[in-house]
Amino acid sequence: MCETEFAETPFDTLRASFQLLLAEPCPMAVPVEETAGFIAPAREIFLPEIKRLLDAAGTRPAIKRALWGAVVRRAQAGDASWTLAAVGLSWRALAGKVLQACRKSPADAHEIQAEVLTEFLAALREVDVDDPRITDVGGWLAWRAFFASRHARRAEAAAVVDRHELPSHTAVMPLVPEGHPDLVLARAVAAGVIDRDEADWISRTCLDEENARKVAAEYGMGLSTFYHRRRAAGYKLAAAIRDGDLEHV
């Protein structure tokens, strides 16, 4: 069962790391020349004040957008501290989404949190803070991360589960005839769609429900890297099944 507490999970590490960034004296700040257009009088705004302004219901939307723009642009430029700051500033929205996922998914909280954080970082690299349609940058990032993670889980399940073994309301994609999942994986390896390692990752963590962190460690990978590579393998497998590439292997 999914736990609803974040002890010893990626979110626990995130919160602790973000608190270290906020600790005084905090060197991270948006310089005065960037605040002149939305803060009067213009001044240097340090990370703790950025957090207070973003969390406050009374802060004008224009100020929140400008602050998020400053944070995101620094993160997108490759600054690791500002990347962590962006995740920490989205904590409230992220935590709510992850708790929601935990209640609906059979996976444990640790894996769900790692997947959502991985997708958050992907969304952070892509978000256009100047897009007027994005009125709440932090909320948008959390929403994208949550739904991308959920979509990826469904795609992986579709690639390895025979619809005839599921109730009709959960069937997502038919496999080839005689489509036992292990046989499908073996055919995919033989056809060069995925390699043996990728088949092993999918079989052990999607079919046998082994702990993903344990499998990732065996292959010398961090958990985020493992999820990224397993997901890519799942997409390749799903495409091969959809296109009928495994039927005559």
Side-chain angles (χ1 to χ4, degrees):
M1 178 180 294
C2 254
E3 299 293 336
T4 56
E5 297 181 357
F6 295 137
E8 299 180 358
T9 66
F11 269 41
D12 191 53
T13 301
L14 164 64
R15 286 194 297 180
S17 300
F18 185 55
Q19 289 303 314
L20 289 176
L21 285 187
L22 294 172
E24 298 292 348
C26 177
M28 299 173 62
V30 177
V32 62
E33 56 267 22
E34 291 187 35
T35 68
F38 61 91
I39 291 287
R43 65 182 185 278
E44 200 172 30
I45 303 181
F46 288 87
L47 183 59
E49 185 178 3
I50 292 174
K51 181 179 185 302
R52 287 194 295 271
L53 288 169
L54 291 176
D55 287 346
T59 303
R60 289 189 292 113
I63 293 177
K64 290 188 176 184
R65 173 178 286 277
L67 289 173
W68 265 116
V71 171
V72 169
R73 280 188 285 271
R74 285 165 170 76
Q76 290 177 339
D79 190 307
S81 294
W82 282 103
T83 298
L84 174 58
V87 184
L89 291 169
S90 299
W91 165 258
R92 289 184 178 180
L94 274 174
K97 294 295 185 186
V98 167
L99 284 173
Q100 181 180 351
C102 279
R103 295 187 184 105
K104 294 181 178 180
S105 172
D108 63 32
H110 194 291
E111 293 191 11
I112 290 174
Q113 290 178 25
E115 286 186 346
V116 171
L117 287 176
T118 297
E119 296 296 349
F120 182 94
L121 295 177
L124 181 61
R125 289 191 293 269
E126 299 172 1
V127 63
D128 179 4
V129 291
D130 295 320
D131 187 338
R133 295 171 297 178
I134 302 176
T135 57
D136 175 7
V137 176
W140 184 90
L141 289 168
W143 180 87
R144 279 290 300 271
F146 173 70
F147 282 99
S149 174
R150 188 174 71 172
H151 174 75
R153 282 180 173 273
R154 289 178 174 176
E156 288 176 348
V160 297
V161 180
D162 187 342
R163 71 179 297 175
H164 300 298
E165 296 178 0
L166 292 172
S168 59
H169 68 280
T170 60
V172 285
M173 181 181 294
L175 293 181
V176 294
E178 304 86 40
H180 186 280
D182 286 331
L183 176 59
V184 173
L185 290 172
R187 288 176 174 176
V189 172
V193 173
I194 58 176
D195 62 30
R196 293 184 182 277
D197 288 350
E198 291 169 330
D200 188 52
W201 304 338
I202 293 171
S203 177
R204 293 172 63 184
T205 62
C206 295
L207 298 178
D208 298 336
E209 297 185 353
E210 284 192 43
N211 183 273
R213 176 175 290 277
K214 173 179 174 290
V215 177
E218 289 181 18
Y219 281 88
M221 284 184 279
L223 193 58
S224 294
T225 300
F226 175 79
Y227 281 133
H228 176 76
R229 294 180 62 181
R230 187 190 68 179
R231 184 165 302 141
Y235 285 139
K236 290 187 293 184
L237 181 59
I241 294 169
R242 182 191 64 234
D243 297 340
D245 295 340
L246 306 183
E247 293 183 5
H248 304 294
V249 178

